[in-house]
Amino acid sequence: FPCREFSQMKPLKDLFSRKKDKPSPAGVAASPPGAGGAEKRDAVMEMFEKYREKEEGGPEQIGPEGIFELCNDMKLEPTDVRLLILAWKLGAEQQGYFSKSEWQRGMEGLRADSAETLSARLDSLNRQLASMTASPSFREFYRFSFRFSRQDGQKALEVDTVKALLVTVLPTSHRHVERLIRFLDATPSIRGFNEDQWTSFLLFSHDVAVDFSNFDPDGAWPSMLDDYVEYCKKEGI
Amino acid sequence: AARLPPPPPGGKGGGGGVLRREGKPDRSSTELVDMNSAADVIPLEPGWEKMRGGIDKFTAIMEGGFRESFPLAMHSELYTCCYVMCTQKAPHNWADELYKRYGTMYEQQLEQTVLPAIKAKHGTEMLREFARRWKNHKLLVRQMWKLFVYLDRYYIKKISALPLKAVGVQKFEQVVFNQVKEEVRTGVLQLIEKEREGDMVDRDLLKQVVDVFVEIGDWRPLFPTRVGEEIGDIGQARLNTYVKELETQLLADTSAFYARESSSWIGTDSCPEYMKKAENRLQQEVALVAAYLHSSTEEKLLKEVETQLLANHQSALLDKEETGCRALLREEKTDDLKRMYKLFQRLPNSVTCGLQPISQIVREHIVDVGMSHVRKEEAEKDHSMYAQQLIDLHDQYHAMVQGPFGSNTLFQKVLKEAFEVFVNKDIGQTSTAELLSTFCDNIMKTGGDKFEGEIDTVLDKIVMLFSYLSDKDMFAEFYRKQLSKRLLLNRSASDDDERSLITKLKYRCGAQFTSKLEGMLTDMNVSKDSQNNFAAWMRTSEVNLGIECAVTVLTTGFWPTYKVDEVALPAELLRGIDNFTRYYESRTSHRKLKWIHTLGTCVLTGRFDQKPIELVISTYQACILMLFNQQEEYTTADISSTTKLPMDALMKYMQTLALSKYQILTKSPKGKEIGETDVFTFNRAFTDRQRKIKMSLLVTKVSQDEKLSTKQTVDEDRKHAVEASIVRVMKARKTMAHQQLVLEVSQQLMKLFRPDPKVIKNRIESLISREYLERDKDNQGVYKYLA
């Protein structure tokens, strides 16, 4: 399965380069005292200071430029899935921004305090997730990625974003993904996915055999997936 | 009960009553023998010889043909003798011996005389001898019993031995019966077979012989030997010999006989012929049993016959090409079908046997006939006869179910299933639901088909067909549209008939189904009242419109929606509308009136040169014609801009006014096409024989547009109904698996239409995205209700 061009990953890239007018919802939180050496915390906060938005009187958060810089330091493309994993672990609420408290809590949870350690952690997490796509933590990550990628107030995710997201989040060899994308390309009437369809697909990809031998057409799969199966059978793929 | 013979007359006189053994009081007269004097003791052998004398005497009488009767003196003497011998004190009590010798007496007599006599004969003669000897034996036993009866009363109970009569029968069985039973049986069965083959046989003889088999079991104990054993079992046990020695073989023979018979018939006979033969045979066998077999045999015997003649050949018989069940149905041979029903009703019911396979053939037949009607109809252009055809078809097969098939529920069910198959097939683009509705329209409207007072019966039949529809809501929608036109254009022939049909539908489907239809009728009635009130109101308000204006107020929701073309109304009409609106607002509040001119009617008087003619036209046509009061000529474009009617609608109206049957306007240039610059003139020269002409646009025939819009309305309504049902079910159950939910929803909606599982799934997903439902976290196939 050929690697997708990064240029086609535009939507994901956009996520992190969009400038928002709305102020960051996360407020300034006092550094919680507690476990973890003061040293570590300091290192974490140092990182925060390095990447944060430099505006005077602005909200205390890392913005898109900071993230871009961080990516460079970690030698990651901004479209890399590991960035999404980072957002997940930080519990980021808004695309393109990490608030101070998110950063602090998240980095401590990750036990990383520098770009190198962070990079290593993200690597190992990525490998872990990729190897156990049926696990509850992967499911959580998968769901997060949908919600995180949504526009404000929207219930559904645009089909192009869906396609890109699928490819990012799921390992390249994951069953059904390639064919689903072909199906979506062939069915312009499908404009987007709602959350139900997104989550169902993960389950579907694990439960249903590649040759659809155990697919139950009277089952509770969303009708879009029924159509997908029909399409594959018709096309003989 | 044993009758105690009177004591011998002139016996030895004696004193008063002597106590019997066991202390029972004496019942006979007082003259008795004193038992205890030694001189009167009867010794065994002489006593026995005496008894023997009696036996021989009777035997001789028997052999002599009963020309004399047993002497009474001997009778009482022997009775007394026995009595004495049994009541003597030991060692002179001879009861044991007497009993034993009683038995052996029979043995001897049977062995020496009876058995040889029977064995000496053969065939029918032997049977005769056998019967005769048994008859005689019974008499002998009876007579002996009379003599030895004392033993019966007091001796056998003491030692629990067989009663005397039983002994007699038992001895016959052991000595005679068991030796000759084979030959007798063979003889009997041969005779029966002869009778079956058509020869005359001596039925009396057969009865006598068979009775022997029955009675021979009579020596079985008369009283229950085990606690709780019922007399019924005794009866059954007593027939054991009959069953074992005769009946079993008889049944086997019968089976074989009819197996042969039926094989010889099945190849050559037609189905009706075969059935007649079978029927005859069954009747014969019943007569046979009645004539000379035991009644308990009837059921078993008939079962054998039925199995051989009917069950074993059922499919071969029914499937016969020219004459089998299907052919009989095709040719409506009701007598044969009736016979078939009666015969096969006897068989135990199963998928391959009895009435069920027949009912399936009937079902297939009806479906075939129905489908051929459907296909034929599809080739037709005009479908107005189809509903009547269906009614006739239903009448025909309903009569068949009531008649030959005895209103059997199996066949009623099959009729329903068959009709449900083809009634739900569309005729090309048109659904049967629509055709039924149109048929009703024809009945209900003025000038429609007349049924001469049988309207109610016809309506019942329509409702019957309606009940077979799976898309009942489709029918309702078409009906609603057509009802609306009938009511608003005043074309309904009878309000009672309308109500009658609606009531019948309500009875079938519930009040909710017919609520809109009823609402429409109510609206009409209310409008009539309000019309009177409006007139009164106008008088009190001293308003004079100069025209008559009648308004019908429709409740939105009950009535179909109509497209309203924008139109500029003439002043007179506007005044009427204004006034009514004021009147209405004075009566009710919070209601808004929306005027639907599509269905309005106007009566204009056209002042033509020859004579004035009243024109009954639609409101739109009236608007156009009224223009010609101002000016003589107009171009199409003018008319359009003045009346504000859209061009395509206007074209239609101009067509009817200028280019069809009644040409109120003339067009120039002439020709069928209407151009925007064509000029229309009031046709002064127009005239007609009639004084009043109807020119209304609205047709009650269902147009292609209407078909489409009906389908859309129905689809929309169904989506809502499915959603409502899903929510109802989930609210009650809180959580449910997908398949179950689909099933329950389908069942709930069955009465109206058959929901498509895809639609249900679609609605479920919609409800999920609107957060009425959610999927269970652990089980993707289970839904939970979100309050």
Side-chain angles (χ1 to χ4, degrees):
Chain A
F1 151 64
C3 217
R4 296 246 160 197
E5 291 293 309
F6 281 143
S7 57
Q8 283 177 316
M9 305 286 245
K10 233 195 316 176
L12 208 53
K13 191 167 178 198
D14 282 345
L15 290 177
F16 291 94
S17 56
R18 209 178 298 119
K19 240 201 162 59
K20 291 242 163 71
D21 296 325
K22 235 173 46 176
S24 164
V28 180
S31 330
E39 259 188 35
K40 255 237 153 87
R41 217 178 300 135
D42 286 340
V44 166
M45 290 323 291
E46 258 181 51
M47 278 185 85
F48 183 75
E49 289 304 315
K50 180 176 174 194
Y51 298 114
R52 64 169 286 181
E53 283 182 334
K54 306 297 191 288
E55 291 169 27
E56 283 302 322
E60 294 194 289
Q61 63 190 18
I62 300 182
E65 285 113 1
I67 292 175
F68 194 72
E69 217 189 308
L70 175 62
C71 286
N72 279 339
D73 289 347
M74 291 196 288
K75 309 214 182 10
L76 288 181
E77 295 291 327
T79 51
D80 198 293
V81 65
R82 285 167 279 190
L83 200 51
L84 197 54
I85 298 178
L86 177 61
W88 173 46
K89 280 297 179 185
L90 294 185
E93 274 192 30
Q94 204 183 4
Q95 301 162 2
Y97 295 86
F98 298 139
S99 77
K100 183 168 175 182
S101 53
E102 284 170 358
W103 180 262
Q104 189 157 16
R105 262 191 316 231
M107 290 296 280
E108 278 179 20
L110 283 169
R111 275 167 291 152
D113 56 1
S114 69
E116 294 77 28
T117 46
L118 182 58
S119 174
R121 283 296 288 141
L122 290 178
D123 264 344
S124 101
L125 274 172
N126 186 23
R127 273 195 301 271
Q128 251 181 38
L129 286 171
S131 69
M132 20 177 257
T133 51
S135 67
S137 48
F138 182 84
R139 236 184 287 153
E140 232 190 83
F141 169 61
Y142 180 83
R143 264 203 208 124
F144 169 83
S145 63
F146 181 86
R147 295 200 187 123
F148 190 68
S149 312
R150 269 201 297 224
Q151 301 274 39
D152 273 340
Q154 295 282 35
K155 283 227 170 107
L157 203 54
E158 277 177 2
V159 71
D160 288 332
T161 319
V162 167
K163 286 193 269 186
L165 199 56
L166 278 175
V167 168
T168 310
V169 155
L170 292 170
T172 52
S173 60
H174 205 71
R175 303 140 91 194
H176 293 292
V177 172
E178 187 206 342
R179 285 184 292 179
L180 184 69
I181 292 181
R182 272 170 70 174
F183 165 69
L184 292 174
D185 283 338
T187 322
S189 58
I190 298 181
R191 309 278 281 274
F193 269 33
N194 61 33
E195 186 162 359
D196 182 46
Q197 288 165 316
W198 175 260
T199 17
S200 296
F201 176 69
L202 182 64
L203 211 63
F204 179 92
S205 65
H206 285 119
D207 279 357
V208 176
V210 176
D211 59 358
F212 305 117
S213 53
N214 62 347
F215 175 73
D216 177 13
D218 296 324
W221 301 114
S223 47
M224 186 255 314
L225 289 174
D226 292 337
D227 294 338
Y228 158 68
V229 174
E230 249 188 74
Y231 170 82
C232 288
K233 287 190 174 160
K234 209 167 54 124
E235 298 291 315
I237 50 177
Chain B
R3 232 182 343 110
L4 206 56
K12 302 212 169 93
V18 175
L19 234 54
R20 308 250 172 194
R21 301 175 78 124
E22 291 119 355
K24 289 198 173 84
D26 180 23
R27 266 190 245 158
S28 64
S29 75
T30 52
E31 287 184 318
L32 287 166
V33 176
D34 179 3
M35 296 298 156
N36 288 315
S37 61
D40 285 329
V41 164
I42 303 177
L44 179 57
E45 293 307 327
W48 177 247
E49 275 313 305
K50 222 176 179 179
M51 298 307 295
R52 265 234 76 112
I55 293 163
D56 290 336
K57 178 75 181 158
F58 190 79
T59 318
I61 295 176
M62 261 195 337
E63 295 297 323
F66 293 99
R67 250 163 279 177
E68 48 174 313
S69 58
F70 197 79
L72 201 53
M74 195 174 209
H75 187 155
S76 51
E77 193 189 332
L78 292 179
Y79 167 78
T80 314
C81 178
C82 172
Y83 168 73
V84 168
M85 287 172 79
C86 292
T87 52
Q88 287 172 170
K89 283 212 164 89
H92 302 290
N93 188 294
W94 308 123
D96 281 340
E97 272 299 317
L98 273 184
Y99 184 77
K100 265 207 293 260
R101 292 182 184 209
Y102 170 81
T104 44
M105 164 206 46
Y106 282 129
E107 282 171 15
Q108 282 166 2
Q109 200 252 357
L110 290 169
E111 218 162 306
Q112 285 157 11
T113 317
V114 175
L115 185 60
I118 296 175
K119 279 195 153 168
K121 307 247 169 82
H122 299 282
T124 316
E125 281 310 310
M126 183 200 142
L127 294 181
R128 254 185 253 286
E129 188 63 27
F130 177 77
R132 190 175 81 88
R133 289 288 172 179
W134 167 252
K135 197 167 109 196
N136 286 349
H137 183 76
K138 280 196 284 190
L139 290 171
L140 177 63
V141 169
R142 186 150 206 285
Q143 185 60 44
M144 292 301 108
W145 171 79
K146 284 187 197 170
L147 301 181
F148 286 83
V149 71
Y150 187 78
L151 283 173
D152 234 8
R153 301 268 228 70
Y154 300 107
Y155 174 71
I156 59 164
K157 280 185 191 146
K158 264 189 23 173
I159 65 162
S160 295
L162 277 181
L164 295 181
K165 283 187 181 167
V167 171
V169 177
Q170 181 197 39
K171 294 300 175 191
F172 189 92
E173 183 181 24
Q174 285 167 349
V175 177
V176 177
F177 183 81
N178 285 345
Q179 311 308 316
V180 297
K181 64 185 178 185
E182 302 274 339
E183 218 184 312
V184 170
R185 172 171 63 231
T186 314
V188 166
L189 293 178
Q190 275 175 359
L191 282 181
I192 294 181
E193 176 141 344
K194 250 180 97 183
E195 172 155 27
R196 283 178 175 155
E197 280 174 8
D199 290 336
M200 294 284 287
V201 296
D202 187 344
R203 281 185 161 189
D204 282 334
L205 174 60
L206 275 172
K207 179 148 184 57
Q208 287 169 29
V209 175
V210 171
D211 279 348
V212 178
F213 282 81
V214 175
E215 289 162 15
I216 206 80
D218 263 356
W219 65 268
R220 308 288 164 185
L222 279 166
F223 40 84
T225 49
R226 287 185 301 244
V227 175
E229 197 180 80
E230 302 214 342
I231 305 300
D233 295 335
I234 303 294
Q236 198 50 47
R238 281 167 148 198
L239 283 178
N240 267 349
T241 315
Y242 167 75
V243 168
K244 194 163 136 238
E245 301 300 339
L246 185 62
E247 195 188 63
T248 314
Q249 190 58 41
L250 168 64
L251 292 176
D253 271 13
T254 310
S255 218
F257 178 80
Y258 284 111
R260 285 196 305 275
E261 280 290 282
S262 59
S263 325
S264 77
W265 297 345
I266 192 73
T268 50
D269 288 338
S270 74
C271 177
E273 277 170 9
Y274 185 103
M275 289 200 297
K276 277 205 199 83
K277 285 187 183 170
E279 202 180 42
N280 284 339
R281 282 298 189 175
L282 284 166
Q283 281 168 357
Q284 271 179 23
E285 293 295 323
V286 170
L288 205 147
V289 172
Y292 49 77
L293 294 175
H294 191 263
S295 57
S296 69
T297 306
E298 183 173 317
E299 202 185 311
K300 301 178 218 172
L301 188 68
L302 290 180
K303 191 154 165 307
E304 289 299 321
V305 180
E306 286 160 10
T307 310
Q308 291 305 325
L309 289 184
L310 300 173
N312 286 356
H313 296 282
Q314 176 159 3
S315 24
L317 192 61
L318 297 181
D319 288 342
K320 276 188 182 262
E321 263 303 314
E322 308 284 315
T323 59
C325 186
R326 287 182 192 84
L328 295 177
L329 287 169
R330 275 198 306 269
E331 294 159 32
E332 298 181 49
K333 298 267 169 78
T334 41
D335 284 338
D336 291 327
L337 289 171
K338 194 170 190 166
R339 182 169 297 119
M340 180 181 284
Y341 175 71
K342 261 177 39 198
L343 285 176
F344 285 93
Q345 202 186 23
R346 295 156 162 262
L347 299 179
N349 214 347
S350 84
V351 178
T352 47
C353 178
L355 290 179
Q356 264 199 52
I358 298 183
S359 73
Q360 286 309 311
I361 295 179
V362 170
R363 183 181 186 281
E364 277 169 28
H365 170 80
I366 298 180
V367 169
D368 283 344
V369 172
M371 286 308 294
S372 77
H373 275 262
V374 168
R375 280 190 289 273
K376 241 183 10 191
E377 192 63 29
E378 277 177 347
E380 298 277 335
K381 288 229 166 78
D382 171 19
H383 298 307
S384 52
M385 301 308 297
Y386 184 60
Q388 185 64 50
Q389 279 180 24
L390 286 180
I391 291 181
D392 293 338
L393 206 63
H394 191 260
D395 281 344
Q396 183 188 355
Y397 287 108
H398 191 242
M400 183 181 279
V401 169
Q402 303 281 74
F405 294 122
S407 304
N408 185 301
T409 46
L410 196 59
F411 289 87
Q412 285 180 355
K413 181 162 106 74
V414 146
L415 175 68
K416 174 169 171 299
E417 285 171 10
F419 266 78
E420 277 173 359
V421 169
F422 62 84
V423 163
N424 285 305
K425 294 263 182 260
D426 290 344
I427 314 288
Q429 289 297 322
T430 320
S431 64
T432 313
E434 186 198 315
L435 291 176
L436 282 184
S437 176
T438 310
F439 183 78
C440 291
D441 189 58
N442 279 332
I443 299 175
M444 297 294 186
K445 71 181 185 201
T446 50
D449 302 334
K450 297 266 179 289
F451 282 91
E452 312 284 330
E454 305 167 346
I455 287 205
D456 222 52
T457 341
V458 178
L459 292 183
D460 278 332
K461 295 186 185 176
I462 288 279
V463 174
M464 194 75 227
L465 288 178
F466 162 80
S467 71
Y468 297 135
L469 286 174
S470 56
D471 290 341
K472 295 185 172 68
D473 53 352
M474 191 75 86
F475 173 88
E477 195 50 35
F478 278 111
Y479 192 79
R480 193 166 76 118
K481 285 206 159 71
Q482 290 172 327
L483 176 65
S484 158
K485 282 189 199 153
R486 286 201 296 278
L487 293 175
L488 296 174
L489 299 175
N490 211 2
R491 287 190 196 160
S492 172
S494 152
D495 204 44
D496 284 339
D497 288 341
E498 300 279 3
R499 281 198 191 280
S500 171
L501 181 59
I502 291 174
T503 313
K504 291 181 206 285
L505 290 173
K506 182 154 80 167
Y507 186 68
R508 275 273 160 185
C509 295
Q512 214 206 0
F513 184 74
T514 50
S515 59
K516 289 186 190 165
L517 302 174
E518 288 188 315
M520 286 161 75
L521 287 181
T522 317
D523 277 350
M524 294 304 292
N525 285 335
V526 167
S527 287
K528 279 201 197 73
D529 286 339
S530 92
Q531 203 43 47
N532 294 334
N533 292 334
F534 178 51
W537 177 88
M538 282 205 290
R539 281 196 294 276
T540 56
S541 316
E542 290 175 15
V543 172
N544 191 347
L545 289 177
I547 57 171
E548 273 179 44
C549 178
V551 178
T552 316
V553 180
L554 315 176
T555 313
T556 328
F558 290 158
W559 297 77
T561 43
Y562 292 97
K563 198 163 71 80
V564 189
D565 289 327
E566 201 203 313
V567 69
L569 295 169
E572 296 91 331
L573 294 185
L574 280 176
R575 261 212 307 275
I577 288 177
D578 251 354
N579 276 298
F580 186 83
T581 315
R582 275 197 291 138
Y583 155 75
Y584 192 73
E585 277 167 9
S586 75
R587 290 305 213 86
T588 64
S589 52
H590 307 304
R591 305 245 188 112
K592 189 165 169 302
L593 289 175
K594 183 166 151 220
W595 295 87
I596 316 273
H597 300 299
T598 328
L599 300 164
T601 332
C602 244
V603 180
L604 288 188
T605 312
R607 290 188 216 289
F608 302 101
D609 286 341
Q610 284 214 12
K611 67 173 194 255
I613 299 181
E614 280 190 349
L615 306 167
V616 180
I617 47 179
S618 78
T619 311
Y620 293 128
Q621 290 165 315
C623 292
I624 297 171
L625 287 182
M626 298 275 279
L627 291 179
F628 289 83
N629 280 341
Q630 262 88 61
Q631 223 174 274
E632 285 266 343
E633 292 185 347
Y634 285 89
T635 62
T636 320
D638 283 343
I639 300 178
S640 175
S641 58
T642 325
T643 60
K644 299 207 181 48
L645 283 169
M647 193 49 91
D648 48 352
L650 181 63
M651 294 293 200
K652 267 196 313 197
Y653 303 135
M654 297 317 293
Q655 277 257 335
T656 58
L657 293 171
L659 295 172
S660 30
K661 188 172 170 200
Y662 304 109
Q663 299 193 346
I664 314 293
L665 304 172
T666 45
K667 178 174 90 82
S668 68
K670 293 231 183 289
K672 283 227 155 98
E673 294 294 321
I674 301 182
E676 292 207 14
T677 51
D678 291 358
V679 174
F680 289 91
T681 332
F682 177 59
N683 185 1
R684 295 185 164 281
F686 173 79
T687 192
D688 193 88
R689 256 186 317 141
Q690 296 177 330
R691 283 197 170 278
K692 190 170 180 172
I693 312 178
K694 279 202 174 120
M695 287 177 63
S696 188
L697 276 175
L698 280 173
V699 202
T700 46
K701 202 157 164 277
V702 178
S703 69
Q704 205 53 33
D705 279 345
E706 285 183 315
K707 262 200 257 262
L708 213 61
S709 78
T710 306
K711 189 157 193 318
Q712 281 171 347
T713 314
V714 169
D715 281 341
E716 268 306 304
D717 286 344
R718 282 181 181 181
K719 282 221 293 243
H720 292 309
V722 168
E723 266 192 22
S725 176
I726 294 173
V727 171
R728 244 202 314 274
V729 172
M730 290 304 295
K731 191 165 181 178
R733 307 290 212 90
K734 301 295 178 216
T735 149
M736 212 184 221
H738 176 84
Q739 300 280 39
Q740 239 191 320
L741 182 59
V742 170
L743 202 65
E744 288 238 7
V745 165
S746 297
Q747 277 178 349
Q748 265 198 11
L749 298 170
M750 264 304 234
K751 271 191 145 188
L752 279 185
F753 64 95
R754 242 182 295 189
D756 183 1
K758 274 199 164 45
V759 170
I760 299 179
K761 196 185 236 197
N762 193 281
R763 289 295 98 203
I764 292 175
E765 286 175 38
S766 166
L767 287 168
I768 290 178
S769 74
R770 284 185 277 153
E771 296 183 20
Y772 282 88
L773 302 177
E774 65 174 358
R775 287 189 202 269
D776 186 305
K777 298 218 186 340
D778 303 316
N779 191 336
Q780 207 258 357
V782 173
Y783 303 107
K784 302 224 296 255
Y785 180 69
L786 290 172

